[in-house]
Amino acid sequence: MEEAEIRTMSLPVKLSEPEIALRAQELASAESVLGDAETRLDQFVEAAKGTKKGIETEIDDARGDVRKLARVVRERSEYREVPVMEEADFEKGAMNTYRTDTHEVVATRGLTHDERQQSLFKRGRKTSWPPVPSRSASATCASARSS
């Protein structure tokens, strides 16, 4: 007769009181490890959210710079602070805003009531502004001088 082969199987075994106490301590320790790991994961996720938000802000800023610089290159010009000067055109009832670097009119608006009441010649002003006076303005100035 052949001898039977002995092998093992995982089967339920009733625990003694000391074994139950040991398993209870292991359970508490495992729950503590689990809680710590979950806390670290939550902290990591929150930190990642902050990092993600920071990187998204950086990307948005970079995209804005790219759009701005692409427009500048495409249009071959950019906005800068340029000195300007206003000059009243009493004949037309307009206030012209000139660039001081190119003497180009960049804006025109109507004179206010108070501006219309001002004299054509401001006391103490010695300038040749605007750069190229119109004929009608020269004629107005000449007629004002003769009176």
Side-chain angles (χ1 to χ4, degrees), residues 42-102:
D42 290 343
Q43 291 170 344
F44 174 79
V45 168
E46 287 304 311
K49 286 179 186 175
T51 301
K52 180 182 177 194
K53 186 172 181 112
I55 292 170
E56 286 171 340
T57 299
E58 189 178 332
I59 288 170
D60 289 344
D61 292 347
R63 283 183 178 150
D65 289 346
V66 166
R67 280 192 299 273
K68 178 183 173 188
L69 292 169
R71 186 187 73 246
V72 167
V73 170
R74 183 176 56 252
E75 294 176 1
R76 299 178 182 268
S77 67
E78 67 183 341
Y79 280 85
R80 295 183 184 170
E81 294 296 315
V82 176
V84 296
M85 185 172 181
E86 287 189 328
E87 185 70 26
D89 183 342
F90 291 100
E91 186 176 298
K92 293 182 180 177
M95 180 68 74
N96 295 317
T97 303
Y98 295 89
R99 292 176 63 133
T100 60
D101 58 347
T102 63

Side-chain angles (χ1 to χ4, degrees), residues 85-89 96-99 103-105 125 127-134 137-138 141:
M85 185 172 181
E86 287 189 328
E87 185 70 26
D89 183 342
N96 295 317
T97 303
Y98 295 89
R99 292 176 63 133
H103 307 293
E104 161 187 19
V105 175
R125 181 167 177 200
T127 181
S128 61
W129 199 263
V132 182
S134 64
S138 298
C141 290

